[in-house]
Amino acid sequence: MRQFASAAIAAVMMVGGAVRAEAQQPSVQQVFDKYATAVGGRDAWRPVTGRSEKGTANVTFAGLTGSYERHSALPNKTRQIIDLGVVKIDQGFDGEKGWVDQGQGISPMPDEQAKEMAVPNADGAAFLDPSRYAKSAVVGKETFEGAEAWKLELTSKAGRTITEYFDVSTGLRLGTVTTTPMGAQTAIYKDYKTFDGKKVPTTLVQRNGQGDVILTSETVTFGTPDAALFKHP
């Protein structure tokens, strides 16, 4: 009887431990809620109609440096220019169609990327809403760039598979791995700073098979950028 009781107690303890471990894993909504709080709150982001960042670019594997600027405006316009002197990389989306120029002339943005860009954002806090994904799940903890992170597997409404990592302690987004026809593309977000009550990463590391492209924002301003910036060249 004592052996049976001991075995029963052990079984209950194991089940209880599993339940506690499961309870400790947050839901997707809870991860995004903590992220929203960490970057200033949804109420601070909701009125944002656009954003501009300017700074420097460092293509580490080519030994090239230059200037960087990125602009965005609701509902789905964006423009990014990296000027390295010997080559100027320009890509954007005017709300209907996108373009890419890597110094060899303008060409249409790849269909998969354009489809993703075409999805409109309802307001400035849309990136903090997990319902913008068709599928989402927290799959566990992993170490990402030296920090303990919650790993989320997401599928965009345009069909792209995305893995995102959020710092367990701070709630901040640490990185994104996106599946593309050219292979996995990794973005690492670092050096968060506060601008107008909203926290943004001022260092973006874009990692691919060749190496790293490091974009460092020196200024971040909120407000709708000049419409001419989004005009198709």
Side-chain angles (χ1 to χ4, degrees), residues 54-57 65-69 81-85 215:
K54 294 184 179 181
T56 60
T65 59
S67 64
Y68 154 74
E69 60 181 278
I81 300 171
I82 298 175
D83 190 346
L84 300 171
L215 306 177

Side-chain angles (χ1 to χ4, degrees), residues 97-196:
K97 56 185 180 297
W99 71 90
V100 178
D101 184 352
Q102 296 184 336
Q104 299 178 337
I106 299 171
S107 59
M109 181 177 285
D111 289 343
E112 183 185 61
Q113 185 179 359
K115 184 179 179 181
E116 198 76 32
M117 298 296 297
V119 177
N121 294 301
D123 54 43
F127 74 103
L128 298 170
D129 182 5
S131 70
R132 74 184 192 274
Y133 296 104
K135 296 179 182 179
S136 60
V138 180
V139 296
K141 282 183 186 178
E142 279 193 15
T143 299
F144 183 86
E145 293 294 305
E148 188 178 34
W150 292 116
K151 179 181 179 181
L152 276 63
E153 293 291 351
L154 310 164
T155 302
S156 72
K157 291 182 178 179
R160 181 171 288 187
T161 301
I162 305 161
T163 303
E164 291 201 335
Y165 297 88
F166 295 84
D167 192 299
V168 170
S169 176
T170 67
L172 293 171
R173 182 171 63 167
L174 299 176
T176 302
V177 180
T178 305
T179 302
T180 74
M182 297 178 292
Q185 303 290 318
T186 300
I188 301 166
Y189 309 101
K190 302 169 64 175
D191 304 323
Y192 279 81
K193 295 180 181 179
T194 301
F195 300 86
D196 293 338

Side-chain angles (χ1 to χ4, degrees), residues 4 25 35 46 56 81 83 93 106 108 110 138 146 152 187 193 199 205 220 233:
F4 177 81
Q25 180 167 296
Y35 175 38
R46 199 167 284 116
T56 60
I81 300 171
D83 190 346
F93 190 84
I106 299 171
V138 180
L152 276 63
K193 295 180 181 179
K199 188 170 285 188
V205 181
V220 178

Side-chain angles (χ1 to χ4, degrees), residues 75-78 92-99 109 114-115 117-118 230 232:
N76 56 0
K77 295 180 180 180
T78 185
F93 190 84
D94 65 5
E96 296 181 357
K97 56 185 180 297
W99 71 90
M109 181 177 285
K115 184 179 179 181
M117 298 296 297
F230 307 108
H232 197 294

